[in-house]
Amino acid sequence: MNPWPWISGTLMLFGATLALTAAIAIVRFPDTLTRMHAATKPQVVGLILVLQGAAIELFGHGNVWALVLVGVFTLLTAPVVAHLIGRTAYREQRHRDGLLTVNELGDNVDD
């Protein structure tokens, strides 16, 4: 019996579960910074797992390289987008008070 379809299905199911939890967290979290975290970390890992499962299913076909390109593009762009969203949220003061323990972007005031 070939175990690869089971491995592929398990990866895709676990990846879809992570993407679902990311979507639920985006709706339930209270502010931009926590939503940004939920939109990037579990969503990207979930997508990579789904792509790995699909690559196992399509092994030997030419479509596998398209899946690799999608995964690389996602891994390169998701951190950049999260960084830009975080900086914009900080500049517009769209975070909860007391959430930031260290304010590295604040003004340096010498007393």
Side-chain angles (χ1 to χ4, degrees):
M1 184 172 168
N2 191 3
W4 293 113
W6 288 99
I7 294 170
S8 172
T10 303
L11 286 172
M12 285 193 258
L13 186 62
F14 188 61
T17 304
L18 277 175
L20 176 67
T21 58
I24 292 170
I26 289 171
V27 173
R28 294 194 47 104
F29 283 165
D31 64 339
T32 305
L33 296 178
T34 54
R35 287 179 183 168
M36 174 196 65
H37 176 76
T40 54
K41 305 259 185 208
Q43 188 271 335
V44 170
V45 173
L47 176 66
I48 296 300
L49 289 175
V50 169
L51 291 176
Q52 284 178 346
I56 290 171
E57 278 295 316
L58 296 174
F59 186 72
H61 295 30
N63 297 336
V64 173
W65 293 109
L67 297 175
V68 171
L69 286 175
V70 168
V72 168
F73 182 72
T74 302
L75 287 174
L76 291 176
T77 58
V80 174
V81 170
H83 178 74
L84 292 174
I85 290 172
R87 284 187 65 95
T88 302
Y90 174 80
R91 286 183 183 154
E92 294 182 2
Q93 301 295 322
R94 295 193 182 267
H95 56 80
R96 287 181 287 160
D97 292 332
L99 183 66
L100 301 174
T101 56
V102 176
N103 187 359
E104 294 177 355
L105 296 175
D107 295 330
N108 292 332
V109 178
D110 293 326
D111 290 330

